[in-house]
Amino acid sequence: MAKKEYAFYPGCSSQLRASAANYMVSVNSMCKVLDIKLTEIPDWNCCGASIGYAGSGELARHVLNARNFALSEQHLPGQDIVATCAACWLGARETKEKLAASSTLLADTQEALKEAGLTYKGEAEIRHMVEVLIEDFGYEELAKPVVKPLEGIKFAGYVGCQTNRPFGIAGESFENPMYLDKLVETLGGEAVTDYDQKVTCCGGALAFSEPEKSQKQIKDIVESAYDHGADMIVTPCPLCQANVEIYQSEINKRYGTKFNMPVTYYSQLMTVAYGGSVKEAGLDGQVIRARKLEEIAVKVVKK
Amino acid sequence: MGDLNVEAVERYRNNFLKEVEERVEEGHWVKMCMQCGVCSGSCPFGPHWAHPPQELFMMIRAGRREEVLTSDSMWMCTSCYNCVVRCPRQLPITQIMHGLATYAHRLGLAPKNQPTRKFSVLFWNNCTRTGRVNELKLTLGLYFSDGFIAGIKKAWALRHIGLGLLLAKRLNPFELIKGHGCKDKKGIHAMLKKAYEIENRRKGFSS
Ligand code: SF4
Ligand code: SF4
C-alpha cells in the first residue's frame, strides 16, 4: 500500500495534450518517489474556473464542483481531494465552504445534483498538492529522497495569486509566503529571497482577453527575476506558468526586451532533485527550455 | 433580455442597493463598505478601471444603476483576491465583481464588445458542453469571435506562441476532433438546467 492516498482532481489544463500536461508528468514522477497514490476521480468535470462567471452564475458553479465531490465520496471514500491547479483548488475550496455555511445553498445543490443521480455528503476535504507536501510530509521528509541537490541554480519563487489567496497555505502570510523558497532550499537550490514580484497577479484569464494589460504584469514578474539574478522562475500554478512563460516572446516584441527566462513547476524541481530524467520531469514540455535544470537531470548520481 | 431589465426597473424602482442585495452574488455585503479605498489601491488592474471596486460600491449606494451595470470595469477583475484578503471589513469583493458582471450580462446591459465578457461566455459554453474545457477550441473561439478575417490575423500574429506549445506537446490539433469530455454529459446538462431553474426562482427572475 502506498504511504499516502488521495482522490485526485487533475483539472482540464493538466490533461494529456493540454497546456499543463508536463505539470502532470512531473507530479506523477514526484509522487512515485514519495509513495503517494493519486487516484483520478472517475468522470470528474471542469471546476468552472474563475472566468466562467458570465454564464454560470453562482449556483451552477457550486453544483459543478459539488458533482466532483459527490463522485469522489462515492468512489474514493475517506480520501482527501487533491488538486494541482490553483484555480481548481480555490474554486473547489470556496464551494466546500459555501455549502457548509448555508443550508439553503446546500439544499439547492442537492436538488440539482439529484438530476445527475448524485448526493453530496460534505465529507471530503479539498487540498492543494503543495499543501499535502508541506503538511502531510514536511520539509525534512521531502529532503530525504534528494540525490541531486539543485546546486548552483537560483530560483525566483513565484507564488502568484490563487495558491496564496484567499486561502493560502496554513500559517503563511498573504503578502510574503515563504513555503516555495523553503521548498527550493529543501531541494538544495538557492531561493531568491528578495524577489519582489512573488505574489503579483499574472493577469489570469485576461492574458487571453486583454493581452496588453496582462503583459505589463508579466513583464514586471520576469524583469524582477532577472534583476535579482535568478536563473529561472518556479511556481505552483499552471496558469501562472503558462502566462509567464509563453508570452515572453510577445513582450520582447512589444517592449524590446530580451526575455528568455524558464518558468518551471515545483514538481519538476523535485523530480530532478529526486534523480528523475528530463522526460520524467516534463522538462521537454517547456517552451523556454530550463537548461540548468536539464544539466542536473542528465548528471549521473554517485551512490 | 430587454424585458428582464424593464421588469427589474419596475420591481426595484429607485432602490438599486436593494436590487444588488437581492440579485447579485454576495451583494448584501455592499452596504458594509466603509470606502477606505484599500481594494482599489491593491487591485493590479486598478489603473485600467474606469471605476475600481470602492467606486462601484459607492455608485451602487448612490443608485447610479445604469452607470454601474453598463460599466466594463468589473469585467477587468482577474480574480486575484488581493482586495479580499486586505479589505478591513472582509467584503468578498471578487465575488461581488463577478456577481455584478453576471447580472449586467443577464440583463443585457453589459458592454457587448468587452473582450473579457466574450471570453467568459465562451469559456462557460466550452466547459459545459462536454464537461471539460477544450483549450484549442476555446482559443480559436476567442480569436474568431470578431469574424473570420480578424481570427486569421490574430492566429497569425500569435503563431509563434502556438508553434511553441505545439512543439512542447501542450497543444494538439487532434483536440479539435476528439477532445476530452465527461461520460455523463446528459447528467451534467440536466443538473445545470436544474441549477439555473432554482437560481432564477430564488432571485425572482420571472423566466
Ligand atoms: S477595502 Fe473593503 S471597506 Fe475598503 S473600500 Fe474596498 S470594499 Fe470598501
Ligand atoms: S480580485 Fe479583482 S477586484 Fe480584487 S484586486 Fe484582484 S483584480 Fe482587483
Side-chain angles (χ1 to χ4, degrees):
Chain A
M1 213 184 83
K3 205 185 281 172
K4 298 257 189 316
E5 295 190 18
Y6 304 95
F8 183 48
Y9 180 74
C12 299
S13 63
S14 296
Q15 302 177 95
L16 216 59
R17 306 189 297 270
S19 59
N22 62 329
Y23 183 18
M24 211 43 250
V25 169
S26 61
V27 167
N28 284 333
S29 307
M30 170 189 87
C31 286
K32 216 180 201 172
V33 176
L34 294 170
D35 201 15
I36 298 174
K37 186 173 168 212
L38 297 179
T39 312
E40 209 169 290
I41 299 170
D43 210 39
W44 59 269
N45 56 259
C46 173
C47 67
S50 5
I51 190 64
Y53 54 82
S56 71
E58 192 180 356
L59 185 58
R61 187 179 85 233
H62 293 313
V63 166
L64 273 187
N65 279 306
R67 178 176 177 274
N68 292 326
F69 303 166
L71 285 169
S72 181
E73 288 170 346
Q74 188 184 325
H75 297 284
L76 301 160
Q79 299 190 8
D80 287 355
I81 297 174
V82 172
T84 37
C85 169
C88 295
W89 174 64
L90 188 153
R93 272 279 298 261
E94 190 186 309
T95 295
K96 162 108 189 161
E97 294 196 1
K98 285 274 163 66
L99 293 183
S102 159
S103 52
T104 317
L105 194 60
L106 181 62
D108 289 353
T109 302
Q110 301 286 28
E111 195 184 335
L113 277 180
K114 213 161 49 189
E115 297 289 314
L118 295 166
T119 31
Y120 168 59
K121 299 197 204 90
E123 289 163 356
E125 292 299 324
I126 320 297
R127 309 178 62 200
H128 190 279
M129 190 78 229
V130 289
E131 241 183 332
V132 164
L133 292 178
I134 291 157
E135 290 169 8
D136 297 3
F137 287 80
Y139 301 105
E140 238 173 82
E141 202 59 34
L142 296 175
K144 282 183 188 160
V146 173
V147 287
K148 292 179 187 175
L150 308 179
E151 276 159 5
I153 308 184
K154 281 175 96 174
F155 296 94
Y158 174 49
V159 178
C161 316
Q162 297 194 336
T163 336
N164 184 40
R165 299 185 294 254
F167 302 115
I169 307 298
E172 293 279 8
S173 99
F174 296 125
E175 311 290 343
N176 187 19
M178 299 304 294
Y179 73 87
L180 198 52
D181 292 343
K182 283 193 219 152
L183 206 55
V184 163
E185 277 156 13
T186 301
L187 302 171
E190 189 183 333
V192 177
T193 44
D194 49 357
Y195 179 50
D196 49 20
Q197 300 294 315
K198 197 183 239 180
V199 296
T200 302
C201 168
C202 71
L206 271 72
F208 288 97
S209 54
E210 312 218 25
E212 317 76 45
K213 292 173 192 142
S214 65
Q215 282 171 22
K216 166 75 181 56
Q217 297 287 117
I218 296 168
K219 181 173 168 278
D220 291 346
I221 293 163
V222 177
E223 202 154 54
S224 162
Y226 273 111
D227 288 350
H228 289 97
D231 297 304
M232 60 187 81
I233 292 174
V234 54
T235 180
C237 170
L239 191 57
C240 293
Q241 196 285 331
N243 278 353
V244 176
E245 184 187 38
I246 68 181
Y247 292 108
Q248 287 185 38
S249 55
E250 285 301 298
I251 294 169
N252 287 343
K253 269 190 252 162
R254 198 183 297 266
Y255 293 95
T257 46
K258 289 203 172 69
F259 291 168
N260 195 35
M261 172 72 71
V263 188
T264 51
Y265 292 111
Y266 64 92
S267 46
Q268 296 182 301
L269 272 51
M270 294 178 71
T271 301
V272 170
Y274 291 171
S277 66
V278 168
K279 213 166 172 235
E280 285 167 326
L283 288 171
D284 52 348
Q286 302 297 115
V287 171
I288 300 175
R289 296 302 283 251
R291 301 279 175 211
K292 288 207 167 174
L293 209 50
E294 288 187 23
E295 277 165 29
I296 293 190
V298 299
K299 262 203 287 193
V300 184
V301 205
K302 292 182 287 279
K303 290 249 163 145
Chain B
M1 290 265 257
D3 296 346
L4 265 184
N5 186 39
V6 174
E7 190 259 351
V9 172
E10 288 275 295
R11 180 193 284 250
Y12 294 100
R13 300 284 162 184
N14 285 321
N15 199 340
F16 185 40
L17 180 60
K18 182 150 181 267
E19 184 177 350
V20 169
E21 279 175 350
E22 290 183 3
R23 289 185 153 185
V24 170
E25 181 170 354
E26 303 287 357
H28 56 280
W29 278 95
V30 169
K31 60 176 177 295
M32 296 300 293
C33 170
M34 62 180 185
Q35 290 292 306
C36 68
V38 167
C39 52
S40 303
S42 307
C43 184
F45 281 25
H48 302 292
W49 295 38
H51 307 292
Q54 172 205 11
E55 232 169 274
L56 284 173
F57 298 155
M58 177 266 287
M59 288 159 72
I60 292 168
R61 298 204 292 210
R64 285 153 68 179
R65 182 177 189 275
E66 185 78 14
E67 238 178 303
V68 170
L69 293 176
T70 58
S71 170
D72 71 349
S73 291
M74 55 275 194
W75 295 96
M76 228 104 70
C77 171
T78 66
S79 321
C80 76
Y81 290 81
N82 209 12
C83 53
V84 172
V85 300
R86 286 183 180 171
C87 170
R89 287 271 172 96
Q90 296 178 322
L91 267 73
I93 301 161
T94 316
Q95 282 87 350
I96 306 172
M97 289 308 123
H98 294 180
L100 283 171
T102 310
Y103 187 52
H105 173 72
R106 186 78 209 268
L107 295 183
L109 295 174
K112 289 278 165 301
N113 287 318
Q114 214 293 325
T116 307
R117 187 195 67 79
K118 282 198 214 164
F119 185 62
S120 177
V121 173
L122 271 173
F123 187 95
W124 182 250
N125 293 341
N126 182 299
C127 84
T128 51
R129 190 171 303 126
T130 65
R132 294 195 194 163
V133 171
N134 185 311
E135 291 178 338
L136 188 58
K137 285 188 185 166
L138 181 65
T139 312
L140 292 177
L142 180 71
Y143 289 178
F144 289 90
S145 63
D146 293 326
F148 187 70
I149 304 287
I152 295 287
K153 272 193 194 153
K154 211 159 184 178
W156 179 250
L158 293 172
R159 67 193 180 282
H160 301 293
I161 289 184
L163 191 65
L165 285 173
L166 205 68
L167 292 175
K169 297 201 178 53
R170 283 156 60 185
L171 188 139
N172 191 316
F174 193 57
E175 285 286 282
L176 274 187
I177 314 157
K178 202 185 169 308
H180 298 276
C182 292
K183 283 194 219 95
D184 188 24
K185 293 182 199 58
K186 246 172 82 194
I188 293 175
H189 292 156
M191 170 188 101
L192 289 174
K193 192 169 157 241
K194 190 56 149 194
Y196 292 134
E197 258 173 52
I198 299 169
E199 193 158 271
N200 283 346
R201 190 175 71 218
R202 292 250 179 250
K203 295 204 164 152
F205 286 118
S206 46
S207 59

